[in-house]
Coordinates of all heavy atoms in Angstrom, one line a residue:
L121 N 0.4 -1.2 -12.0 CA 0.5 0.3 -12.0 C 1.7 0.7 -11.2 O 2.0 0.1 -10.2 CB -0.8 0.9 -11.5 CG -2.1 0.5 -12.1 CD1 -3.3 0.9 -11.2 CD2 -2.2 1.2 -13.5
K122 N 2.3 1.8 -11.7 CA 3.4 2.4 -10.9 C 3.2 3.9 -10.9 O 2.7 4.5 -11.9 CB 4.8 2.0 -11.4 CG 5.1 2.4 -12.8 CD 6.4 1.9 -13.3 CE 6.7 2.3 -14.7 NZ 8.0 1.7 -15.2
P123 N 3.6 4.6 -9.9 CA 3.5 6.1 -9.9 C 4.5 6.7 -10.8 O 5.6 6.3 -10.9 CB 3.8 6.4 -8.4 CG 4.6 5.3 -7.9 CD 4.2 4.1 -8.6
V124 N 4.1 7.8 -11.5 CA 4.9 8.5 -12.4 C 5.7 9.6 -11.6 O 5.1 10.3 -10.8 CB 4.1 9.2 -13.5 CG1 5.0 10.1 -14.3 CG2 3.4 8.1 -14.3
G125 N 7.0 9.6 -11.7 CA 7.8 10.6 -11.0 C 8.0 10.4 -9.5 O 8.5 11.3 -8.8
K126 N 7.6 9.2 -9.0 CA 7.7 8.9 -7.6 C 8.4 7.6 -7.4 O 7.8 6.6 -7.7 CB 6.3 8.9 -7.0 CG 6.3 8.6 -5.5 CD 6.4 9.9 -4.7 CE 6.1 9.6 -3.2 NZ 6.8 10.6 -2.4
T127 N 9.7 7.6 -7.0 CA 10.4 6.4 -6.9 C 10.6 5.9 -5.4 O 11.2 4.9 -5.2 CB 11.8 6.5 -7.6 OG1 12.5 7.6 -6.9 CG2 11.7 6.8 -9.0
A128 N 10.1 6.7 -4.5 CA 10.3 6.3 -3.1 C 9.1 6.8 -2.2 O 8.6 7.8 -2.5 CB 11.6 6.9 -2.5
I129 N 8.8 6.0 -1.2 CA 7.8 6.4 -0.2 C 8.6 6.5 1.1 O 9.2 5.6 1.6 CB 6.7 5.3 0.0 CG1 6.0 5.0 -1.4 CG2 5.7 5.8 1.0 CD1 5.1 3.8 -1.3
E130 N 8.6 7.7 1.6 CA 9.4 8.0 2.8 C 8.7 7.5 4.0 O 7.5 7.2 4.0 CB 9.6 9.6 2.9 CG 10.4 10.2 1.8 CD 11.8 9.6 1.6 OE1 12.5 9.3 2.7 OE2 12.3 9.5 0.5
P131 N 9.5 7.3 5.1 CA 8.9 6.9 6.4 C 7.6 7.7 6.8 O 7.7 9.0 6.6 CB 10.0 7.0 7.4 CG 11.2 6.9 6.6 CD 10.9 7.5 5.3
N132 N 6.6 7.1 7.2 CA 5.3 7.7 7.7 C 4.6 8.4 6.5 O 3.7 9.2 6.8 CB 5.6 8.7 8.8 CG 6.0 8.0 10.0 OD1 5.5 7.0 10.4 ND2 7.0 8.6 10.7
E133 N 4.9 8.1 5.3 CA 4.3 8.7 4.1 C 3.3 7.6 3.5 O 3.5 6.4 3.6 CB 5.3 9.1 3.1 CG 4.7 9.8 1.9 CD 5.8 10.1 0.8 OE1 6.9 9.6 0.9 OE2 5.4 11.0 0.0
T134 N 2.2 8.1 3.0 CA 1.2 7.3 2.3 C 1.2 7.7 0.8 O 1.1 8.9 0.5 CB -0.2 7.4 2.9 OG1 -0.1 7.1 4.3 CG2 -1.2 6.5 2.2
L135 N 1.2 6.7 0.0 CA 1.0 6.9 -1.5 C -0.3 6.3 -1.9 O -0.6 5.1 -1.5 CB 2.2 6.3 -2.2 CG 2.1 6.3 -3.8 CD1 2.3 7.7 -4.3 CD2 3.3 5.5 -4.4
S136 N -1.1 7.0 -2.7 CA -2.4 6.4 -3.0 C -2.7 6.5 -4.5 O -2.4 7.5 -5.2 CB -3.5 7.3 -2.3 OG -3.4 7.2 -0.9
F137 N -3.4 5.4 -5.0 CA -3.9 5.4 -6.3 C -5.4 5.6 -6.1 O -6.2 4.8 -5.6 CB -3.7 4.0 -7.0 CG -4.4 3.9 -8.3 CD1 -4.1 4.7 -9.4 CD2 -5.3 2.9 -8.5 CE1 -4.7 4.6 -10.6 CE2 -6.0 2.8 -9.8 CZ -5.7 3.6 -10.8
S138 N -5.9 6.8 -6.4 CA -7.2 7.3 -6.0 C -8.3 7.2 -7.1 O -8.0 7.2 -8.3 CB -7.1 8.8 -5.6 OG -6.2 9.0 -4.6
N139 N -9.5 7.0 -6.6 CA -10.7 7.1 -7.4 C -10.8 6.1 -8.6 O -11.3 6.5 -9.6 CB -10.9 8.5 -7.9 CG -11.0 9.5 -6.7 OD1 -11.6 9.2 -5.7 ND2 -10.5 10.7 -6.9
F140 N -10.4 4.9 -8.4 CA -10.7 3.9 -9.4 C -12.1 3.4 -9.3 O -12.8 3.7 -8.3 CB -9.7 2.7 -9.4 CG -9.8 1.9 -8.1 CD1 -10.8 0.9 -8.0 CD2 -8.9 2.0 -7.1 CE1 -10.8 0.1 -6.8 CE2 -8.9 1.2 -5.9 CZ -9.9 0.3 -5.8
Q141 N -12.6 2.9 -10.4 CA -14.0 2.4 -10.4 C -14.1 1.0 -10.8 O -13.4 0.6 -11.7 CB -14.9 3.3 -11.3 CG -15.0 4.7 -11.0 CD -15.8 5.5 -12.0 OE1 -16.4 5.0 -12.9 NE2 -15.7 6.8 -11.8
I142 N -15.0 0.3 -10.1 CA -15.3 -1.1 -10.5 C -16.8 -1.1 -10.8 O -17.6 -0.7 -9.9 CB -14.9 -2.1 -9.5 CG1 -13.4 -2.1 -9.3 CG2 -15.4 -3.5 -9.9 CD1 -12.9 -2.8 -8.1
K143 N -17.2 -1.5 -12.0 CA -18.7 -1.5 -12.3 C -19.1 -2.9 -12.7 O -18.3 -3.7 -13.1 CB -18.9 -0.6 -13.5 CG -18.7 0.9 -13.2 CD -19.0 1.7 -14.4 CE -18.7 3.2 -14.2 NZ -19.0 4.0 -15.3
W144 N -20.4 -3.2 -12.4 CA -21.0 -4.4 -12.8 C -22.5 -4.3 -12.9 O -23.1 -3.4 -12.3 CB -20.7 -5.6 -11.9 CG -21.2 -5.4 -10.5 CD1 -22.4 -6.0 -10.0 CD2 -20.7 -4.6 -9.4 NE1 -22.6 -5.6 -8.7 CE2 -21.5 -4.8 -8.3 CE3 -19.6 -3.8 -9.3 CZ2 -21.3 -4.1 -7.1 CZ3 -19.4 -3.1 -8.1 CH2 -20.2 -3.3 -7.0
A145 N -23.1 -5.1 -13.7 CA -24.6 -5.1 -13.9 C -25.2 -6.0 -12.9 O -24.6 -7.0 -12.5 CB -24.9 -5.4 -15.4
H146 N -26.5 -5.7 -12.6 CA -27.2 -6.6 -11.6 C -28.0 -7.7 -12.3 O -28.6 -8.5 -11.7 CB -28.1 -5.7 -10.8 CG -28.8 -6.5 -9.7 ND1 -28.0 -7.0 -8.6 CD2 -30.1 -6.8 -9.4 CE1 -28.9 -7.6 -7.8 NE2 -30.1 -7.5 -8.3
N147 N -28.0 -7.7 -13.7 CA -28.8 -8.7 -14.4 C -28.2 -10.1 -14.3 O -28.9 -11.1 -14.6 CB -29.1 -8.3 -15.8 CG -27.8 -8.2 -16.6 OD1 -26.7 -8.1 -16.0 ND2 -27.9 -8.2 -17.9
L148 N -27.0 -10.2 -13.8 CA -26.3 -11.5 -13.6 C -25.9 -11.6 -12.2 O -25.6 -10.6 -11.5 CB -25.0 -11.6 -14.5 CG -25.2 -11.5 -16.0 CD1 -23.9 -11.4 -16.7 CD2 -26.0 -12.7 -16.6
S149 N -25.8 -12.9 -11.7 CA -25.3 -13.1 -10.3 C -23.8 -12.8 -10.4 O -23.2 -12.9 -11.5 CB -25.5 -14.5 -9.9 OG -26.9 -14.7 -9.7
Y150 N -23.2 -12.3 -9.3 CA -21.8 -11.9 -9.3 C -21.2 -12.3 -8.0 O -21.9 -12.3 -7.0 CB -21.6 -10.5 -9.6 CG -22.3 -9.5 -8.6 CD1 -21.7 -9.1 -7.5 CD2 -23.6 -9.1 -8.9 CE1 -22.4 -8.2 -6.6 CE2 -24.3 -8.3 -8.0 CZ -23.7 -7.9 -6.9 OH -24.3 -7.1 -6.0
S151 N -19.9 -12.7 -8.1 CA -19.2 -13.0 -6.9 C -17.7 -13.0 -7.2 O -17.3 -13.5 -8.2 CB -19.6 -14.5 -6.4 OG -18.9 -14.8 -5.2
G152 N -17.0 -12.4 -6.3 CA -15.5 -12.3 -6.5 C -14.9 -11.3 -5.6 O -15.5 -10.5 -4.9
S153 N -13.5 -11.5 -5.5 CA -12.7 -10.6 -4.6 C -11.8 -9.8 -5.5 O -11.1 -10.3 -6.4 CB -11.9 -11.4 -3.7 OG -12.7 -12.0 -2.7
I154 N -11.7 -8.5 -5.3 CA -10.8 -7.6 -5.9 C -9.5 -7.6 -5.0 O -9.6 -7.2 -3.9 CB -11.3 -6.2 -6.1 CG1 -12.7 -6.2 -6.6 CG2 -10.3 -5.3 -6.9 CD1 -12.9 -6.9 -7.9
M155 N -8.4 -8.1 -5.5 CA -7.2 -8.3 -4.8 C -6.2 -7.2 -5.1 O -6.3 -6.6 -6.2 CB -6.5 -9.6 -5.0 CG -7.3 -10.8 -4.6 SD -7.6 -10.8 -2.8 CE -6.0 -10.8 -2.2
G156 N -5.4 -6.8 -4.2 CA -4.3 -5.9 -4.4 C -3.0 -6.4 -3.8 O -3.0 -7.0 -2.8
V157 N -1.9 -6.1 -4.5 CA -0.6 -6.5 -4.0 C 0.4 -5.3 -4.3 O 0.4 -4.7 -5.4 CB -0.1 -7.8 -4.8 CG1 1.3 -8.2 -4.2 CG2 -1.1 -8.9 -4.7
T158 N 1.1 -5.0 -3.3 CA 2.2 -4.0 -3.4 C 3.5 -4.6 -3.6 O 3.9 -5.5 -2.8 CB 2.2 -3.1 -2.1 OG1 0.9 -2.5 -1.9 CG2 3.2 -2.0 -2.1
Y159 N 4.3 -4.1 -4.5 CA 5.6 -4.5 -4.8 C 6.6 -3.3 -4.6 O 6.2 -2.2 -4.8 CB 5.8 -5.1 -6.2 CG 4.9 -6.3 -6.4 CD1 3.6 -6.2 -6.9 CD2 5.5 -7.5 -6.2 CE1 2.9 -7.3 -7.1 CE2 4.7 -8.7 -6.4 CZ 3.4 -8.6 -6.9 OH 2.6 -9.7 -7.1
C160 N 7.8 -3.6 -4.2 CA 8.9 -2.6 -4.1 C 10.2 -3.3 -4.1 O 10.2 -4.6 -4.0 CB 8.7 -1.7 -2.9 SG 8.7 -2.5 -1.3
D161 N 11.3 -2.6 -4.1 CA 12.6 -3.2 -4.1 C 12.8 -4.1 -2.8 O 13.5 -5.1 -2.8 CB 13.7 -2.2 -4.1 CG 13.8 -1.5 -5.5 OD1 13.3 -2.1 -6.5 OD2 14.4 -0.4 -5.6
Q162 N 12.2 -3.6 -1.7 CA 12.4 -4.3 -0.4 C 11.5 -5.5 -0.3 O 11.7 -6.4 0.5 CB 12.1 -3.3 0.7 CG 13.1 -2.2 0.9 CD 12.9 -1.1 -0.2 OE1 11.9 -1.0 -0.9 NE2 13.9 -0.2 -0.2
F163 N 10.4 -5.6 -1.0 CA 9.4 -6.7 -1.0 C 9.1 -7.1 -2.4 O 8.0 -6.9 -2.9 CB 8.2 -6.3 -0.2 CG 8.4 -5.9 1.2 CD1 8.4 -4.6 1.6 CD2 8.6 -6.9 2.2 CE1 8.6 -4.2 2.9 CE2 8.8 -6.6 3.5 CZ 8.8 -5.2 3.9
K164 N 10.1 -7.8 -3.0 CA 9.9 -8.3 -4.4 C 8.8 -9.3 -4.6 O 8.3 -9.5 -5.6 CB 11.3 -8.8 -4.9 CG 12.3 -7.7 -5.0 CD 13.5 -8.1 -5.7 CE 14.6 -7.1 -5.7 NZ 14.3 -5.9 -6.4
E165 N 8.5 -10.1 -3.5 CA 7.5 -11.1 -3.5 C 6.1 -10.4 -3.4 O 5.1 -11.1 -3.7 CB 7.6 -12.1 -2.4 CG 9.0 -12.7 -2.2 CD 9.4 -13.5 -3.4 OE1 8.6 -14.4 -3.8 OE2 10.5 -13.3 -4.0
G166 N 6.0 -9.2 -3.0 CA 4.8 -8.5 -2.9 C 4.1 -8.7 -1.5 O 4.3 -9.6 -0.8
I167 N 3.3 -7.7 -1.1 CA 2.5 -7.7 0.1 C 1.1 -7.5 -0.3 O 0.7 -6.5 -0.9 CB 3.0 -6.6 1.0 CG1 4.5 -6.8 1.4 CG2 2.1 -6.4 2.3 CD1 5.1 -5.7 2.2
T168 N 0.2 -8.4 0.1 CA -1.2 -8.4 -0.2 C -1.9 -7.3 0.7 O -1.5 -7.1 1.8 CB -1.8 -9.7 0.1 OG1 -1.1 -10.7 -0.6 CG2 -3.2 -9.8 -0.4
V169 N -2.9 -6.7 0.1 CA -3.7 -5.7 0.8 C -4.3 -6.3 2.0 O -4.6 -7.5 2.1 CB -4.8 -5.0 0.0 CG1 -4.2 -4.2 -1.1 CG2 -5.8 -6.1 -0.6
L170 N -4.5 -5.5 3.1 CA -5.1 -6.0 4.3 C -6.6 -6.4 4.1 O -7.1 -7.2 4.8 CB -5.0 -4.9 5.4 CG -3.6 -4.6 5.8 CD1 -3.7 -3.4 6.8 CD2 -2.9 -5.8 6.5
N171 N -7.3 -5.7 3.2 CA -8.7 -5.9 3.0 C -9.2 -5.9 1.6 O -9.6 -5.0 1.0 CB -9.4 -4.7 3.7 CG -9.0 -3.4 3.2 OD1 -8.0 -3.2 2.6 ND2 -9.9 -2.4 3.3
P172 N -9.1 -7.1 1.0 CA -9.6 -7.2 -0.4 C -11.1 -6.8 -0.4 O -11.8 -6.9 0.6 CB -9.4 -8.7 -0.7 CG -9.0 -9.4 0.5 CD -8.7 -8.4 1.5
I173 N -11.5 -6.4 -1.6 CA -12.9 -5.9 -1.8 C -13.7 -7.2 -2.3 O -13.4 -7.7 -3.3 CB -13.0 -4.8 -2.8 CG1 -12.2 -3.6 -2.3 CG2 -14.5 -4.5 -3.1 CD1 -12.1 -2.5 -3.4
N174 N -14.6 -7.6 -1.4 CA -15.4 -8.8 -1.8 C -16.8 -8.3 -2.2 O -17.5 -7.6 -1.5 CB -15.6 -9.7 -0.5 CG -14.2 -10.2 -0.1 OD1 -13.5 -10.8 -0.9 ND2 -13.9 -10.0 1.2
L175 N -17.2 -8.8 -3.4 CA -18.5 -8.5 -4.0 C -19.3 -9.7 -4.3 O -18.7 -10.6 -4.9 CB -18.3 -7.6 -5.2 CG -17.5 -6.3 -5.1 CD1 -17.1 -5.8 -6.5 CD2 -18.3 -5.3 -4.3
N176 N -20.5 -9.8 -4.0 CA -21.4 -10.9 -4.4 C -22.8 -10.5 -4.3 O -23.2 -9.8 -3.4 CB -21.1 -12.2 -3.7 CG -21.3 -12.1 -2.2 OD1 -22.4 -11.9 -1.8 ND2 -20.3 -12.4 -1.4
G177 N -23.6 -11.1 -5.2 CA -25.0 -10.8 -5.2 C -25.7 -11.8 -6.2 O -25.1 -12.4 -7.0

Side-chain angles (χ1 to χ4, degrees):
L121 304 164
K122 63 183 176 182
V124 174
K126 180 88 171 152
T127 58
I129 305 172
E130 296 301 322
N132 296 316
E133 184 180 16
T134 301
L135 176 66
S136 299
F137 175 62
S138 300
N139 299 324
F140 64 81
Q141 295 179 10
I142 299 168
K143 294 181 180 180
W144 66 97
H146 187 66
N147 61 343
L148 301 171
S149 294
Y150 56 92
S151 180
S153 293
I154 313 304
M155 294 300 301
V157 183
T158 300
Y159 296 90
C160 59
D161 290 339
Q162 293 76 8
F163 297 101
K164 293 188 186 297
E165 309 296 310
I167 296 174
T168 305
V169 292
L170 296 174
N171 59 335
I173 298 171
N174 298 306
L175 302 169
N176 62 58

